[in-house]
Amino acid sequence: LGIDSPDADATKAIGVAHTAKAILDALKLPSYAMTSGISGLHLLIALNKESSEEAAQQVAEYLCKLIRLKTPDRVVLEGSGDPEYGKVKLEFSSNKSDSRIVAPYSLFDGENPLVATPLSWGELSPEMDFDFSPELIIKRIKNSDPWEGFGRRKVSANDEWEKLENHYSFLF
């Protein structure tokens, strides 16, 4: 899932990410967060190899819709046609085969290069600085891996899609 803040205001993305985390936890889905540039975040769930592209896409869309139900005044879904000004944009289309997603530790070129940085959920706070420089990343990697365990528990997007359809389709 992509969470993009308006006007490079990372605090808005962080608040929505915590709402997403509460939903993901309630659904018992292991999730991981990563910066995706200046003020955006990506939330990832490790899927098993049997998961279809269609199921992954549908699960992501359901999750974005559930997040929107919890925070309708703060978010807009991609492609909804709703006014976006000042709202966090939830993106679910990155699960399509022709889409691209930023890989962990990708470098964003610029005057002050930034790195797409895996985060622990405990790091996501309004005071958090998204300016992860290559030098800072080297220090972080030496100390700990916030994604330790990623992929140990993979979920079936096919099964999750079925559960979401059975339990939440009436909401949409």
Side-chain angles (χ1 to χ4, degrees), residues 23-71:
I23 291 168
L24 293 165
D25 286 351
L27 294 169
K28 298 184 179 9
L29 294 172
S31 58
Y32 299 84
M34 174 181 81
T35 64
S36 63
I38 296 170
S39 63
L41 295 166
H42 285 165
L43 306 184
L44 293 90
I45 299 168
L47 300 177
N48 66 18
K49 62 183 178 182
E50 289 80 23
S51 296
S52 72
E53 176 186 336
E54 180 184 12
Q57 176 69 21
Q58 291 299 321
V59 168
E61 187 171 351
Y62 258 104
L63 294 172
C64 286
K65 287 178 178 180
L66 290 172
I67 295 164
R68 185 171 187 300
L69 281 175
K70 293 287 283 182
T71 58

Side-chain angles (χ1 to χ4, degrees), residues 98-166:
D98 61 347
S99 295
R100 292 176 183 84
I101 188 168
V102 175
Y105 301 110
S106 293
L107 187 63
F108 293 95
D109 194 18
E111 187 175 318
N112 297 310
L114 299 175
V115 178
T117 305
L119 304 167
S120 70
W121 282 104
E123 289 180 281
L124 284 173
S125 72
E127 299 81 31
M128 187 185 122
D129 187 358
F130 271 53
D131 295 336
F132 290 99
S133 67
E135 297 78 22
L136 180 58
I137 294 302
I138 299 297
K139 291 176 188 173
R140 283 175 58 91
I141 291 173
K142 287 180 182 177
N143 292 328
S144 67
D145 178 6
W147 281 13
E148 185 175 341
F150 181 81
R152 282 194 195 134
R153 180 171 165 244
K154 296 179 182 177
V155 298
S156 167
N158 303 347
D159 292 347
E160 292 304 321
W161 182 20
E162 185 177 335
K163 288 179 200 173
L164 290 165
E165 276 285 309
N166 289 336

